[in-house]
Amino acid sequence: MSHSLYPAETIAAIATAIVPQEGSVGIIRVSGSRALEIARRLFRSPGQSSWESHRIFYGYICNPNSGSHVDEALLLVMKGPRSYTREDVVEFHCHGGIMVVQQVLDLCLQCGARLAEPGEFSLRAFLNGRIDLTQAESIADLVGARSPQAAQMALAGVRGKLASPIHQLRNTCVELLAEIEARIDFEDDLPPLDEPALLQGIETVLSQLTELLNTADRGELLRSGLKVAIVGRPNVGKSSLLNAWSQSDRAIVTDLPGTTRDIVETQLVVHGIPVRVLDTAGIRETTNIVEKIGVERSRQATEEADLVLLTIDGSVGWTAEDRIIYDQLSHHNLILIINKIDLVSDPTSLECPNDLHIKVHTAAARQEGVDRLEQAILQAVNAGQLQAANLDIAINQRQTAALTRAKLALEQVRATIGDRLPLDFWTIDLRAGIQALGEVTGDDVTESILQRIFSRFCIGK
């Protein structure tokens, strides 16, 4: 963002996803001191209107130069500070489709608004004290949520469930700092510092910081999801497994080896975790140019996957070709899928590598074994705790870095006290811890951090 973080301009942007010629409703949002003025120039409502705040008005959007009607629309008026940005905000609710919405946005810009930059509405909400930084980031997470659990976690952040404990921890540290500094400035007028109580306060903060840091992996998994590649030699039932798992016919299934020539992808949610499943071409040596390209893409997709489902044909058993593929994948997180188990008379007789600890029997053509596969995935990523009841809060990468710095600073305070150094030394690292905690909520944050955070938002949010 090139402009000042304390802008005076009125901004405008399209606030809804627009599908050309197909959208039912499109919203143009305007925020700033001239928002109401722009609305009055563009919107014509039948009869007398007092333009009360938080009311919706019916009328027409008109070109102020020609007087021609642009669209029949609704106008939502929200006067500051009772708005998302705490500024005057108006929203034009138009018919969808890119032409009408773009025309209305252009008229707003002609009347004095500036096109909003990514995340600028949320940035203003933060700068004006409407939300803190954790809530702003949670809004972005909510917009981009890929599962109900991820949305639930983001909504908890929007409601302040992450901000509240961070503010508490920071306030505790500020109180501890005040106790120490009071003894430095007024040593003769105050009773001796209660060192055991001070250490107990630091230990309490460290314990809660550890609990918050333990949510980082859980949060990252729910936000980013898991990339899973189904890999194996041709005709072992990889495509049937994808179809059974996704309950669709995304992949072509035949008895001919080499049917899948390209990556077939589907999006699933497994116990709250977004999973991107890739059905890859069968891996084998081939002289067919097209199939060769498919095999190479399979290997590339496998390298990028978080988890690999090595699939074999149970009716044939473990083959030399399976061993070659397995040796190439041994450095990956692997689950062995023994498919077509319905064609095996004695599943216990199948010989497989002993170092593959997670094995799943499936009969994909008969829609059997998917539940066992999903449980194995949870086991493989050690995510069995990712149930809806435990999704209150989870920190992101930026918050993790700041909280880690806070924890290290407080551990250094504890060490400084143990080394019997003067009180001035105690305050140095305690201040660093307070600043790190402030970076999480935005109480202590630089302009560059704000630019980095809000530039990732969509325009209009």
Side-chain angles (χ1 to χ4, degrees):
M1 298 178 185
S2 58
H3 57 82
S4 167
L5 289 180
Y6 297 91
E9 305 102 321
T10 296
I11 57 174
I14 299 171
T16 49
I18 300 299
V19 180
Q21 309 304 325
E22 295 182 13
S24 59
V25 176
I27 298 175
I28 297 88
R29 178 177 294 155
V30 184
S31 177
S33 59
R34 299 185 63 187
L36 291 173
E37 173 193 335
I38 291 171
R40 290 187 184 280
R41 289 189 64 187
L42 299 182
F43 193 77
R44 299 289 180 269
S45 181
Q48 297 293 324
S49 175
S50 61
W51 287 57
E52 297 174 26
S53 184
H54 294 77
R55 293 281 302 275
I56 296 177
F57 303 96
Y58 163 79
Y60 292 89
I61 299 171
C62 300
N63 186 316
N65 297 320
S66 65
S68 61
H69 287 186
V70 175
D71 192 22
E72 182 182 25
L74 299 176
L75 175 70
L76 173 60
V77 175
M78 294 171 284
K79 296 180 181 178
R82 294 176 57 215
S83 71
Y84 178 60
T85 61
R86 283 196 169 165
E87 302 173 332
D88 288 343
V89 173
V90 297
E91 290 182 353
F92 298 96
H93 293 233
C94 312
H95 290 93
I98 190 62
M99 293 308 301
V100 170
V101 175
Q102 188 63 54
Q103 285 183 70
V104 176
L105 175 61
D106 289 343
L107 289 174
C108 291
L109 301 182
Q110 292 171 23
C111 289
R114 170 176 59 75
L115 185 64
E117 296 189 23
E120 192 169 358
F121 290 96
S122 295
L123 173 61
R124 292 190 176 196
F126 166 73
L127 293 174
N128 292 327
R130 171 69 171 75
I131 56 176
D132 75 2
L133 213 48
T134 65
Q135 292 172 303
E137 290 174 303
S138 295
I139 289 169
D141 289 339
L142 186 59
V143 172
R146 296 165 56 192
S147 72
Q149 285 77 4
Q152 180 180 344
M153 182 183 70
L155 185 59
V158 173
R159 295 171 61 189
K161 283 195 173 183
L162 176 57
S164 179
I166 300 296
H167 283 305
Q168 265 187 344
L169 294 177
R170 188 170 183 271
N171 289 338
T172 299
C173 290
V174 169
E175 290 172 2
L176 295 176
L177 179 63
E179 286 290 320
I180 299 170
E181 290 186 330
R183 267 61 183 190
I184 295 174
D185 296 334
F186 308 103
E187 182 178 5
D188 297 334
D189 301 326
L190 295 172
L193 185 66
D194 189 345
E195 189 174 310
L198 181 72
L199 283 169
Q200 182 57 49
I202 291 174
E203 291 296 342
T204 299
V205 173
L206 282 171
S207 175
Q208 294 179 37
L209 283 175
T210 300
E211 290 181 11
L212 287 170
L213 287 167
N214 286 339
T215 69
D217 290 341
R218 178 178 70 178
E220 186 61 26
L221 192 60
L222 284 176
R223 292 185 187 94
S224 302
L226 195 67
K227 185 185 291 186
V228 175
I230 306 175
V231 176
R233 58 187 177 82
N235 212 34
V236 297
K238 299 185 298 299
S239 297
S240 296
L241 181 62
L242 174 66
N243 290 341
W245 195 3
S246 63
Q247 297 183 346
S248 69
D249 294 322
R250 294 292 301 276
I252 299 172
V253 179
T254 73
D255 292 330
L256 299 175
T259 302
T260 302
R261 299 295 180 87
D262 207 346
I263 306 298
V264 179
E265 179 180 327
T266 192
Q267 301 283 346
L268 302 172
V269 177
V270 177
H271 294 268
I273 305 172
V275 178
R276 179 183 170 195
V277 185
L278 308 175
D279 173 26
T280 65
I283 298 177
R284 66 172 177 177
E285 295 301 322
T286 178
T287 58
N288 184 294
I289 297 298
V290 176
E291 187 178 356
K292 206 168 190 176
I293 294 173
V295 170
E296 184 55 39
R297 289 182 178 178
S298 295
R299 290 195 171 104
Q300 183 179 351
T302 302
E303 286 300 316
E304 297 172 355
D306 302 305
L307 182 65
V308 174
L309 308 183
L310 176 56
T311 308
I312 69 170
D313 184 342
S315 65
V316 176
W318 185 260
T319 68
E321 290 85 356
D322 293 326
R323 165 59 70 176
I324 292 172
I325 297 172
Y326 170 64
D327 289 341
Q328 295 171 351
L329 301 175
S330 58
H331 60 290
H332 284 79
N333 294 320
L334 283 177
I335 293 177
L336 179 64
I337 307 297
I338 305 174
N339 194 33
K340 304 184 183 181
I341 202 67
D342 53 315
L343 304 179
V344 180
S345 57
D346 183 12
T348 61
S349 65
L350 291 171
E351 295 184 5
C352 301
N354 292 326
D355 52 347
L356 274 170
H357 300 297
I358 305 181
K359 304 180 181 69
V360 179
H361 291 172
T362 63
R366 298 173 58 176
Q367 312 281 310
E368 296 177 2
V370 171
D371 289 344
R372 291 191 294 272
L373 170 59
E374 293 188 347
Q375 289 299 325
I377 289 175
L378 290 181
Q379 180 184 347
V381 299
N382 193 27
Q385 78 275 18
L386 289 176
Q387 303 299 324
N390 297 325
L391 296 179
D392 284 341
I393 55 174
I395 58 177
N396 61 28
Q397 288 183 342
R398 183 195 71 84
Q399 295 159 357
T400 298
L403 292 181
T404 299
R405 291 198 306 274
K407 183 181 179 183
L408 292 174
L410 290 172
E411 288 174 343
Q412 186 57 48
V413 174
R414 184 175 58 188
T416 300
I417 295 173
D419 292 339
R420 313 310 304 169
L421 294 175
L423 295 181
D424 301 76
F425 288 85
W426 301 14
T427 65
I428 296 172
D429 292 301
L430 191 51
R431 288 179 187 276
I434 292 170
Q435 181 175 352
L437 289 170
E439 286 182 14
V440 177
T441 57
D443 292 309
D444 288 302
V445 67
T446 64
E447 182 172 330
S448 62
I449 291 176
L450 292 180
Q451 289 175 343
R452 187 164 66 249
I453 291 171
F454 288 99
S455 65
R456 299 180 185 138
F457 280 53
C458 58
I459 294 176
K461 198 64 181 176

